[in-house]
Every structure is written in structure tokens, then in C-alpha cells.
Amino acid sequence: MKSIKISIFIISVLFICCNDKIEKHPKIDKQKHLLVKDSVDHKIKLKELSIKKDFLYNEHTLEDTYPYKDTVRLFQWEKIRSYLTLIDSIQSEPASWGILQNKSNKNGESPLVKNYYRNEYKRIADTFGIERFQGIPLYLPGDSTTPERYGLDGSLVKIIKDTVSLFIKATTIHFNGDWMVPKRYVKFIDDSVVFSKVIFVDRANQNIATLEKVDSEWLVRSMNPATTGLHKPPLMQETPIGIFVIQEKKIRMIYLKDNSVVTGGFAPYANRFCNGGYIHGIPVNEPRKTPIEFSSTLGTTPRSHMCVRIATSHSKFIYDWAPTEKTLVIVFD
């Protein structure tokens, strides 16, 4: 009887110890962070917001719902409407805006956050899954010693206070929080900027829509298939969720072959919005030099290296239509 009790005690201790180790390991927070409040006021604004189709680009256009294999895919207009309500709301009063920037760690490697882990790509990430590489340190007000979490390159922030120190105080738009951010990681946008053009990338349905606000209406300018990034370590990475700003454009974005310094080809009419993530046309592999208009893989399953692939004529439309530092890119599921 004594040996049975001892065995039960040992098993209990092992169970507690194992559980203790699991609890100490950081867990990724899957929350969506959308700042759309479920209130009567919000529902009224949501209902009042007007969306009307008025295409400027009408090639390869999709319907609101369309068949895909044995299912039906769709444009999630209620989610889009919620995001547009948010965009209207944050611009209802004069504000100063900024873009978090740290592509290829050009502004310096971000310090370690309080809680972190090493992900499937063998890179350090915070508990929200945002990586240290190309990340921006976000500090809680009153604590400039260790950052609380990382922000994504290209993310839109609202400047609360431009301090005389090395930090600014800013509000993140895609998830809740006021943060102290080292100034070297923030690109200030001209105060006269109005975000009237928004690109929506739906990872769940593999489609893309462009909208433009004219007077009091949001006009749909295009509705097309897209292919987003695939989570496949060590090289391919999913397109990140968030609210970003188009930061730069390249008529031809040159890319390398995997695990090589050899040029693999180019992607036409590329619009960079986050880290190395671009919205671009169909990739053209070496030795071919001429553009490719369309691919049968568009709108099917994720398969790119973080980027958003679309038809080449559609990417040219976006390249011409969407100005840098004035156009938002919203990626959601």
C-alpha cells in the first residue's frame, strides 16, 4: 500500500513539473486585435457607411460570391465595412501619422522583448508571433528598459506625442495600445495626408479588393483573385495580418533563387507594404524576360514568399493608382 502511495506521489510531482514547464513556454496569442467596438454607436456608423461598385479596373473580375472546388468563396463585405468604419473614425479629427519601419533591420536590430520564443523559422518572436528580425520595439509608457512586444514594419500608427527624448508616443491601429517607440523606427507622414485609398487582402478567400473614398462614399475599384504567402519554413512565410501603408514601389522587383545569391527573376509592378512583402504581378523566372499576365494558381491556395500575387495588369493598375505613404493595405482572414 505504501509503494502505491509513493508511486502516485511521484506521478503527481512529475505531472506538476511538466505542467509548470509548459506554462512557462510562451504561447502565441491568436487574437485579431481589430479596433472595431461592438457598440450601438459603431453599429449605426457601420450601417450608414456606403459602399458602391464603380470599377476602374475590370479584368479578371470576381463576383461577390463565386465557386471554388466544392465550396463557395466570397468577398467579406461586413469585415471590409468594419475596417472602413475604423479608417473613417480615426480620421474624423486632425491627427499626425507615422509608419513603423525596420526592413532588413536597417534601423537596427530590435532589443529582446520581455517574453519571447524561437519559432519554426529559428528566429526570435514575441508571444504574438511577430519576429524580432525586421521588428520594431514597442515599450509600455513608463518603462523604456525592455520592450513589451514587437510591431510589424509598415504598420500605421497615430502619433500622440513627439517627445524631446529618443522616443515618441504612438497608438497602434490594428491592435490596442499606446506605446513608446524609439524615433529611429518611425517614418513621419505629412499631416495633410488623407487615407482615401485602401487595398483589402483576404487570406481566407484568396482575393483582393481596392476601394477609394470619393465624397462620402467608398467606391469599389477592383475585385480580383490573389495568392498570398505560404507558411512553410525555412524560406516561405505567410502574408502578415495588419494595417499597413504602401512604402515603396518597383517596376521590377528582382528576386533571388532560394538559398542562393543568383537572380531568379523579377516580379512586375511591385508595391511594398511590409518587410519584404509586396503586392505584385505574376513572377517571371529566368531566363524569360517578358511579363506574364495571368496564372491559373491565382485565387487558389497560398504559395508565395510573403508577397501577394495578382494579375500583372491589375498590379500595374495598383502601381499607378495607389500613391506611396497615402495608401493603406489591410490584410485579414
Side-chain angles (χ1 to χ4, degrees):
M1 188 73 176
K2 182 183 285 187
S3 62
I4 293 173
K5 288 182 179 179
I6 292 172
S7 299
I8 293 172
F9 173 77
I10 292 172
I11 292 169
S12 299
V13 169
L14 287 172
F15 178 79
I16 292 168
C17 290
C18 289
N19 272 358
D20 186 54
K21 288 178 182 178
I22 292 170
E23 289 172 358
K24 285 181 180 179
H25 184 77
K27 295 178 180 179
I28 297 176
D29 193 321
K30 299 289 187 180
Q31 64 179 301
K32 298 300 182 185
H33 308 300
L34 183 60
L35 288 184
V36 177
K37 296 180 180 178
D38 186 17
S39 63
V40 173
D41 182 55
H42 169 67
K43 288 177 180 177
I44 292 172
K45 290 179 180 178
L46 197 63
K47 187 176 180 180
E48 291 176 349
L49 188 139
S50 175
I51 297 177
K52 177 183 176 182
K53 292 178 183 176
D54 186 6
F55 295 128
L56 293 179
Y57 174 84
N58 202 10
E59 299 292 328
H60 317 295
T61 303
L62 296 173
E63 299 294 333
D64 289 332
T65 61
Y66 52 94
Y68 176 71
K69 293 186 176 180
D70 58 348
T71 63
V72 174
R73 284 187 170 174
L74 71 160
F75 284 85
Q76 300 188 69
W77 290 116
E78 285 309 303
K79 285 188 179 181
I80 290 174
R81 189 182 296 272
S82 292
Y83 276 112
L84 291 176
T85 302
L86 172 62
I87 299 307
D88 280 348
S89 176
I90 63 175
Q91 295 188 99
S92 60
E93 296 179 357
S96 296
W97 305 100
I99 308 171
L100 300 184
Q101 291 189 332
N102 198 25
K103 184 179 184 295
S104 302
N105 283 351
K106 70 174 185 178
N107 294 320
E109 183 179 43
S110 189
L112 286 172
V113 292
K114 293 176 183 176
N115 297 297
Y116 59 88
Y117 72 107
R118 196 168 291 277
N119 64 17
E120 296 171 273
Y121 295 86
K122 309 301 180 185
R123 295 195 288 262
I124 290 173
D126 65 17
T127 53
F128 297 92
I130 299 177
E131 294 180 351
R132 181 188 191 188
F133 177 63
Q134 304 188 108
I136 293 86
L138 303 179
Y139 296 79
L140 290 172
D143 181 8
S144 60
T145 305
T146 307
E148 183 72 15
R149 62 175 298 176
Y150 297 123
L152 282 164
D153 172 81
S155 295
L156 176 69
V157 293
K158 183 178 181 180
I159 308 299
I160 299 174
K161 185 178 181 182
D162 183 2
T163 65
V164 295
S165 68
L166 297 176
F167 289 79
I168 65 163
K169 190 174 183 180
T171 298
T172 41
I173 305 303
H174 187 247
F175 55 86
N176 286 297
D178 293 342
W179 310 93
M180 301 303 292
V181 190
K183 284 185 178 180
R184 70 178 184 274
Y185 294 102
V186 182
K187 170 71 180 292
F188 289 82
I189 303 176
D190 192 286
D191 287 349
S192 64
V193 167
V194 175
F195 300 111
S196 60
K197 294 182 177 181
V198 187
I199 301 167
F200 289 93
V201 177
D202 184 340
R203 300 195 314 182
N205 289 281
Q206 294 290 283
N207 60 42
I208 182 171
T210 61
L211 286 91
E212 179 177 6
K213 190 168 189 180
V214 178
D215 297 326
S216 60
E217 281 190 318
W218 282 97
L219 305 179
V220 181
R221 297 309 199 183
S222 63
M223 294 167 56
N224 286 82
T227 298
T228 61
L230 174 65
H231 182 91
K232 186 179 180 182
L235 298 175
M236 303 176 77
Q237 200 158 352
E238 65 268 35
T239 306
I241 286 176
I243 298 177
F244 307 100
V245 183
I246 289 183
Q247 301 178 70
E248 65 173 321
K249 293 173 178 283
K250 296 179 181 180
I251 291 180
R252 289 191 172 200
M253 188 269 288
I254 305 299
Y255 57 83
L256 304 177
K257 292 182 179 179
D258 287 347
N259 288 321
S260 171
V261 294
V262 177
T263 299
F266 72 92
Y269 303 108
N271 306 267
R272 189 174 72 83
F273 61 95
C274 178
N275 295 346
Y278 294 77
I279 298 172
H280 61 68
I282 304 301
V284 178
N285 294 326
E286 292 282 3
R288 180 174 175 140
K289 303 296 182 184
T290 56
I292 302 168
E293 166 60 10
F294 196 80
S295 169
S296 60
T297 62
L298 290 181
T300 58
T301 58
R303 60 187 64 225
S304 77
H305 295 64
M306 187 185 288
C307 292
V308 179
R309 298 180 191 174
I310 56 178
T312 295
S313 60
H314 191 207
S315 66
K316 184 181 186 307
F317 163 73
I318 290 176
Y319 187 93
D320 295 335
W321 170 81
T324 56
E325 299 185 358
K326 296 180 181 180
T327 305
L328 298 180
V329 176
I330 299 180
V331 183
F332 65 101
D333 279 328

Short mmCIF file of all heavy atoms in Angstrom, two decimals, residues 55-86:
data_model
loop_
_atom_site.label_atom_id
_atom_site.label_comp_id
_atom_site.label_asym_id
_atom_site.label_seq_id
_atom_site.Cartn_x
_atom_site.Cartn_y
_atom_site.Cartn_z
N PHE A 55 -16.03 50.34 -60.86
CA PHE A 55 -14.71 49.80 -61.23
C PHE A 55 -13.89 50.74 -62.12
O PHE A 55 -14.42 51.32 -63.06
CB PHE A 55 -14.87 48.45 -61.95
CG PHE A 55 -15.45 47.36 -61.11
CD1 PHE A 55 -16.54 46.63 -61.56
CD2 PHE A 55 -14.92 47.06 -59.86
CE1 PHE A 55 -17.09 45.61 -60.78
CE2 PHE A 55 -15.46 46.05 -59.08
CZ PHE A 55 -16.54 45.32 -59.54
N LEU A 56 -12.61 50.83 -61.77
CA LEU A 56 -11.63 51.47 -62.64
C LEU A 56 -10.81 50.41 -63.36
O LEU A 56 -10.21 50.69 -64.41
CB LEU A 56 -10.71 52.38 -61.83
CG LEU A 56 -11.35 53.62 -61.21
CD1 LEU A 56 -10.30 54.40 -60.42
CD2 LEU A 56 -12.01 54.51 -62.26
N TYR A 57 -10.76 49.21 -62.77
CA TYR A 57 -10.08 48.07 -63.39
C TYR A 57 -11.08 46.91 -63.42
O TYR A 57 -11.62 46.53 -62.38
CB TYR A 57 -8.83 47.68 -62.58
CG TYR A 57 -8.16 46.42 -63.09
CD1 TYR A 57 -7.26 46.47 -64.15
CD2 TYR A 57 -8.43 45.18 -62.51
CE1 TYR A 57 -6.65 45.31 -64.63
CE2 TYR A 57 -7.83 44.02 -62.98
CZ TYR A 57 -6.95 44.09 -64.03
OH TYR A 57 -6.35 42.94 -64.51
N ASN A 58 -11.32 46.36 -64.59
CA ASN A 58 -12.37 45.36 -64.72
C ASN A 58 -11.93 44.14 -65.52
O ASN A 58 -12.69 43.57 -66.30
CB ASN A 58 -13.63 45.98 -65.36
CG ASN A 58 -14.88 45.18 -65.05
OD1 ASN A 58 -14.87 44.27 -64.22
ND2 ASN A 58 -15.96 45.51 -65.73
N GLU A 59 -10.68 43.72 -65.31
CA GLU A 59 -10.17 42.48 -65.90
C GLU A 59 -10.11 41.40 -64.81
O GLU A 59 -9.77 41.71 -63.66
CB GLU A 59 -8.77 42.70 -66.49
CG GLU A 59 -8.72 43.74 -67.60
CD GLU A 59 -9.45 43.30 -68.85
OE1 GLU A 59 -9.46 42.08 -69.13
OE2 GLU A 59 -10.01 44.17 -69.55
N HIS A 60 -10.43 40.17 -65.17
CA HIS A 60 -10.37 39.04 -64.24
C HIS A 60 -11.24 39.29 -62.99
O HIS A 60 -10.94 38.80 -61.90
CB HIS A 60 -8.93 38.76 -63.80
CG HIS A 60 -7.92 38.82 -64.91
ND1 HIS A 60 -7.91 37.94 -65.95
CD2 HIS A 60 -6.89 39.69 -65.13
CE1 HIS A 60 -6.92 38.24 -66.78
NE2 HIS A 60 -6.30 39.29 -66.31
N THR A 61 -12.31 40.03 -63.16
CA THR A 61 -13.14 40.45 -62.03
C THR A 61 -13.95 39.28 -61.46
O THR A 61 -14.52 38.48 -62.21
CB THR A 61 -14.09 41.58 -62.46
OG1 THR A 61 -13.32 42.66 -62.97
CG2 THR A 61 -14.93 42.07 -61.29
N LEU A 62 -14.01 39.21 -60.14
CA LEU A 62 -14.79 38.19 -59.44
C LEU A 62 -16.13 38.76 -58.98
O LEU A 62 -16.27 39.97 -58.78
CB LEU A 62 -14.02 37.69 -58.22
CG LEU A 62 -12.69 36.96 -58.48
CD1 LEU A 62 -11.97 36.69 -57.16
CD2 LEU A 62 -12.93 35.65 -59.24
N GLU A 63 -17.09 37.86 -58.78
CA GLU A 63 -18.38 38.26 -58.21
C GLU A 63 -18.26 38.30 -56.68
O GLU A 63 -17.26 37.89 -56.10
CB GLU A 63 -19.47 37.26 -58.62
CG GLU A 63 -19.69 37.17 -60.12
CD GLU A 63 -20.26 38.45 -60.71
OE1 GLU A 63 -20.95 39.19 -59.97
OE2 GLU A 63 -20.01 38.71 -61.91
N ASP A 64 -19.32 38.78 -56.02
CA ASP A 64 -19.33 38.83 -54.55
C ASP A 64 -19.13 37.44 -53.96
O ASP A 64 -18.44 37.26 -52.96
CB ASP A 64 -20.65 39.41 -54.04
CG ASP A 64 -20.76 40.89 -54.32
OD1 ASP A 64 -19.72 41.57 -54.41
OD2 ASP A 64 -21.90 41.38 -54.45
N THR A 65 -19.78 36.43 -54.57
CA THR A 65 -19.56 35.03 -54.21
C THR A 65 -19.25 34.27 -55.49
O THR A 65 -19.78 34.60 -56.56
CB THR A 65 -20.79 34.40 -53.53
OG1 THR A 65 -21.90 34.45 -54.43
CG2 THR A 65 -21.13 35.14 -52.25
N TYR A 66 -18.40 33.24 -55.37
CA TYR A 66 -18.00 32.51 -56.57
C TYR A 66 -17.56 31.11 -56.17
O TYR A 66 -17.09 30.88 -55.04
CB TYR A 66 -16.87 33.25 -57.30
CG TYR A 66 -15.69 33.61 -56.42
CD1 TYR A 66 -14.57 32.78 -56.33
CD2 TYR A 66 -15.69 34.78 -55.67
CE1 TYR A 66 -13.49 33.11 -55.53
CE2 TYR A 66 -14.62 35.11 -54.86
CZ TYR A 66 -13.52 34.28 -54.80
OH TYR A 66 -12.45 34.60 -53.98
N PRO A 67 -17.72 30.13 -57.05
CA PRO A 67 -17.37 28.75 -56.71
C PRO A 67 -15.86 28.54 -56.67
O PRO A 67 -15.11 29.13 -57.44
CB PRO A 67 -18.01 27.94 -57.85
CG PRO A 67 -18.03 28.88 -59.00
CD PRO A 67 -18.28 30.24 -58.41
N TYR A 68 -15.44 27.68 -55.73
CA TYR A 68 -14.06 27.24 -55.68
C TYR A 68 -14.06 25.78 -55.26
O TYR A 68 -14.44 25.45 -54.14
CB TYR A 68 -13.23 28.08 -54.71
CG TYR A 68 -11.80 27.56 -54.56
CD1 TYR A 68 -10.89 27.70 -55.60
CD2 TYR A 68 -11.40 26.90 -53.40
CE1 TYR A 68 -9.60 27.21 -55.49
CE2 TYR A 68 -10.11 26.41 -53.28
CZ TYR A 68 -9.22 26.56 -54.32
OH TYR A 68 -7.93 26.06 -54.22
N LYS A 69 -13.66 24.91 -56.19
CA LYS A 69 -13.71 23.45 -55.97
C LYS A 69 -15.11 23.08 -55.52
O LYS A 69 -16.08 23.37 -56.21
CB LYS A 69 -12.63 23.03 -54.97
CG LYS A 69 -11.21 23.21 -55.53
CD LYS A 69 -10.16 22.65 -54.59
CE LYS A 69 -8.78 22.75 -55.20
NZ LYS A 69 -7.73 22.20 -54.30
N ASP A 70 -15.25 22.46 -54.34
CA ASP A 70 -16.59 22.04 -53.90
C ASP A 70 -17.15 23.00 -52.85
O ASP A 70 -18.06 22.66 -52.09
CB ASP A 70 -16.53 20.62 -53.33
CG ASP A 70 -15.55 20.49 -52.17
OD1 ASP A 70 -14.75 21.42 -51.96
OD2 ASP A 70 -15.58 19.45 -51.48
N THR A 71 -16.58 24.22 -52.79
CA THR A 71 -17.05 25.21 -51.83
C THR A 71 -17.42 26.51 -52.55
O THR A 71 -17.41 26.58 -53.77
CB THR A 71 -15.96 25.52 -50.78
OG1 THR A 71 -14.81 26.10 -51.45
CG2 THR A 71 -15.53 24.26 -50.05
N VAL A 72 -17.76 27.52 -51.75
CA VAL A 72 -18.03 28.85 -52.28
C VAL A 72 -17.14 29.85 -51.56
O VAL A 72 -17.04 29.84 -50.33
CB VAL A 72 -19.52 29.25 -52.07
CG1 VAL A 72 -19.75 30.70 -52.50
CG2 VAL A 72 -20.42 28.32 -52.87
N ARG A 73 -16.49 30.68 -52.31
CA ARG A 73 -15.68 31.75 -51.73
C ARG A 73 -16.41 33.08 -51.92
O ARG A 73 -17.33 33.18 -52.74
CB ARG A 73 -14.28 31.78 -52.35
CG ARG A 73 -13.40 30.67 -51.79
CD ARG A 73 -11.97 30.77 -52.25
NE ARG A 73 -11.13 29.83 -51.52
CZ ARG A 73 -9.85 29.61 -51.78
NH1 ARG A 73 -9.25 30.26 -52.78
NH2 ARG A 73 -9.16 28.75 -51.07
N LEU A 74 -15.94 34.09 -51.17
CA LEU A 74 -16.68 35.35 -51.19
C LEU A 74 -15.79 36.52 -50.79
O LEU A 74 -14.68 36.33 -50.26
CB LEU A 74 -17.86 35.28 -50.23
CG LEU A 74 -17.54 35.28 -48.72
CD1 LEU A 74 -18.77 35.71 -47.94
CD2 LEU A 74 -17.08 33.91 -48.23
N PHE A 75 -16.28 37.71 -51.04
CA PHE A 75 -15.67 38.92 -50.51
C PHE A 75 -16.39 39.23 -49.19
O PHE A 75 -17.62 39.34 -49.16
CB PHE A 75 -15.81 40.09 -51.49
CG PHE A 75 -14.84 40.00 -52.64
CD1 PHE A 75 -15.16 39.24 -53.76
CD2 PHE A 75 -13.62 40.65 -52.59
CE1 PHE A 75 -14.27 39.14 -54.82
CE2 PHE A 75 -12.72 40.55 -53.65
CZ PHE A 75 -13.04 39.79 -54.76
N GLN A 76 -15.63 39.36 -48.13
CA GLN A 76 -16.22 39.53 -46.80
C GLN A 76 -16.55 41.01 -46.57
O GLN A 76 -15.84 41.73 -45.86
CB GLN A 76 -15.25 39.02 -45.74
CG GLN A 76 -14.92 37.54 -45.89
CD GLN A 76 -14.12 37.00 -44.73
OE1 GLN A 76 -14.62 36.88 -43.60
NE2 GLN A 76 -12.86 36.65 -44.99
N TRP A 77 -17.66 41.43 -47.15
CA TRP A 77 -18.00 42.85 -47.14
C TRP A 77 -18.28 43.39 -45.74
O TRP A 77 -18.02 44.57 -45.48
CB TRP A 77 -19.20 43.12 -48.06
CG TRP A 77 -18.85 42.96 -49.51
CD1 TRP A 77 -19.33 42.04 -50.39
CD2 TRP A 77 -17.89 43.73 -50.26
NE1 TRP A 77 -18.75 42.18 -51.63
CE2 TRP A 77 -17.86 43.21 -51.58
CE3 TRP A 77 -17.04 44.79 -49.94
CZ2 TRP A 77 -17.03 43.74 -52.57
CZ3 TRP A 77 -16.22 45.31 -50.93
CH2 TRP A 77 -16.22 44.79 -52.23
N GLU A 78 -18.79 42.57 -44.85
CA GLU A 78 -19.03 43.07 -43.49
C GLU A 78 -17.72 43.39 -42.77
O GLU A 78 -17.62 44.38 -42.07
CB GLU A 78 -19.87 42.07 -42.69
CG GLU A 78 -21.33 42.03 -43.08
CD GLU A 78 -21.96 43.43 -43.09
OE1 GLU A 78 -21.92 44.11 -42.05
OE2 GLU A 78 -22.47 43.84 -44.15
N LYS A 79 -16.72 42.53 -42.96
CA LYS A 79 -15.41 42.83 -42.37
C LYS A 79 -14.79 44.06 -43.03
O LYS A 79 -14.21 44.91 -42.35
CB LYS A 79 -14.48 41.62 -42.52
CG LYS A 79 -14.78 40.48 -41.59
CD LYS A 79 -13.69 39.40 -41.66
CE LYS A 79 -14.00 38.26 -40.70
NZ LYS A 79 -12.94 37.21 -40.73
N ILE A 80 -14.90 44.14 -44.34
CA ILE A 80 -14.38 45.31 -45.06
C ILE A 80 -15.07 46.57 -44.58
O ILE A 80 -14.43 47.60 -44.33
CB ILE A 80 -14.55 45.12 -46.58
CG1 ILE A 80 -13.59 44.02 -47.08
CG2 ILE A 80 -14.30 46.43 -47.33
CD1 ILE A 80 -13.78 43.63 -48.54
N ARG A 81 -16.38 46.48 -44.41
CA ARG A 81 -17.16 47.62 -43.92
C ARG A 81 -16.69 48.03 -42.52
O ARG A 81 -16.57 49.23 -42.21
CB ARG A 81 -18.65 47.26 -43.90
CG ARG A 81 -19.57 48.44 -43.61
CD ARG A 81 -21.02 47.95 -43.57
NE ARG A 81 -21.44 47.45 -44.87
CZ ARG A 81 -21.97 48.21 -45.82
NH1 ARG A 81 -22.16 49.50 -45.60
NH2 ARG A 81 -22.34 47.69 -46.97
N SER A 82 -16.40 47.06 -41.67
CA SER A 82 -15.92 47.35 -40.32
C SER A 82 -14.58 48.08 -40.35
O SER A 82 -14.36 49.05 -39.62
CB SER A 82 -15.79 46.06 -39.50
OG SER A 82 -17.04 45.49 -39.25
N TYR A 83 -13.68 47.60 -41.20
CA TYR A 83 -12.38 48.26 -41.32
C TYR A 83 -12.53 49.68 -41.87
O TYR A 83 -11.85 50.61 -41.42
CB TYR A 83 -11.46 47.45 -42.23
CG TYR A 83 -10.72 46.33 -41.53
CD1 TYR A 83 -11.01 44.99 -41.81
CD2 TYR A 83 -9.72 46.59 -40.59
CE1 TYR A 83 -10.33 43.96 -41.18
CE2 TYR A 83 -9.04 45.56 -39.96
CZ TYR A 83 -9.35 44.25 -40.26
OH TYR A 83 -8.67 43.23 -39.63
N LEU A 84 -13.41 49.86 -42.85
CA LEU A 84 -13.61 51.20 -43.41
C LEU A 84 -14.20 52.14 -42.37
O LEU A 84 -13.85 53.34 -42.32
CB LEU A 84 -14.52 51.13 -44.63
CG LEU A 84 -13.92 50.45 -45.88
CD1 LEU A 84 -14.97 50.36 -46.98
CD2 LEU A 84 -12.68 51.17 -46.37
N THR A 85 -15.09 51.61 -41.53
CA THR A 85 -15.64 52.41 -40.44
C THR A 85 -14.53 52.84 -39.50
O THR A 85 -14.48 53.99 -39.03
CB THR A 85 -16.70 51.61 -39.66
OG1 THR A 85 -17.74 51.21 -40.56
CG2 THR A 85 -17.31 52.44 -38.54
N LEU A 86 -13.60 51.93 -39.23
CA LEU A 86 -12.45 52.26 -38.39
C LEU A 86 -11.60 53.35 -39.05
O LEU A 86 -11.20 54.32 -38.39
CB LEU A 86 -11.60 51.00 -38.15
CG LEU A 86 -10.25 51.20 -37.45
CD1 LEU A 86 -10.45 51.75 -36.05
CD2 LEU A 86 -9.48 49.89 -37.41
#
